[in-house]
Amino acid sequence: MPAGGFVLDSSVALGAFFEDEQDAYSIAVWQSLDEAQAFVPALWHLEMGNILSRALRAGRITPDAIDDSWDRIRVVGLRVLPLAADARHWAQRAADWGLCAYDACYLDAALQQRLPLATRDRQLADTARRIGVPIYLAHLQFEPSTR
């Protein structure tokens, strides 16, 4: 697995944590955290909290599975990147790139940190490539989600 760092999109955690969404790409990215540092924008934990709470309400996971997910997240030691507090900035980035503001935040973090982006989201990956942000572990054949 490569050493170094990358920006981790929540779609990859989803693909590593939920059995019905697991794929080789997400598992490889998660396993690479033994040697590589993942950076996340400050919104990542809120987005994961939303994903996990919705999964609990839908009966996809149990409360114990949520605890296990947070334990797995804690163990890998994600580095949290601050966000620009100006909503106008995120609206403009989203408009410039044709993404939602959340995805623009991940892409902006990768661009600003000069790091590759780990994502399963096809539109986000395509936009990243278009503006010169590499995809982490791009050599793997993965099927990005359309989240």
Side-chain angles (χ1 to χ4, degrees), residues 76-141:
V76 298
L78 302 175
R79 293 251 178 107
V80 179
L81 301 168
L83 292 177
D86 182 6
R88 187 179 332 187
H89 171 80
W90 299 115
Q92 186 61 53
R93 282 291 197 195
D96 290 346
W97 292 330
L99 300 170
C100 72
Y102 302 113
D103 288 346
C105 183
Y106 288 105
L107 184 51
D108 190 64
L111 189 62
Q112 295 302 318
Q113 298 298 313
R114 295 187 174 129
L115 291 171
L117 175 65
T119 186
R120 294 172 60 218
D121 184 297
R122 182 175 302 282
Q123 183 181 8
L124 179 54
D126 289 348
T127 303
R129 286 186 195 98
R130 182 172 46 84
I131 67 167
V133 172
I135 301 303
Y136 184 66
L137 299 181
H139 63 282
L140 295 177
Q141 294 296 318

Side-chain angles (χ1 to χ4, degrees), residues 41-65:
L43 72 83
W44 191 90
H45 286 85
L46 181 60
E47 192 171 13
M48 285 303 299
N50 184 53
I51 290 167
L52 293 172
S53 66
R54 285 178 35 212
L56 180 64
R57 284 194 312 273
R60 287 183 69 197
I61 60 173
T62 66
D64 287 341

Side-chain angles (χ1 to χ4, degrees), residues 5-86:
F6 61 94
V7 173
L8 177 67
D9 175 26
S10 61
S11 67
V12 174
L14 188 70
F17 290 176
F18 290 99
E19 286 184 23
D20 61 337
E21 296 197 33
Q22 282 183 347
D23 61 26
Y25 178 76
S26 297
I27 291 168
V29 169
W30 204 256
Q31 289 173 342
S32 80
L33 290 170
D34 290 339
E35 298 177 20
Q37 177 66 60
F39 294 84
V40 295
L43 72 83
W44 191 90
H45 286 85
L46 181 60
E47 192 171 13
M48 285 303 299
N50 184 53
I51 290 167
L52 293 172
S53 66
R54 285 178 35 212
L56 180 64
R57 284 194 312 273
R60 287 183 69 197
I61 60 173
T62 66
D64 287 341
I66 287 180
D67 290 341
D68 179 58
S69 294
W70 288 121
D71 287 343
R72 290 171 68 187
I73 290 167
R74 182 184 48 76
V75 166
V76 298
L78 302 175
R79 293 251 178 107
V80 179
L81 301 168
L83 292 177
D86 182 6

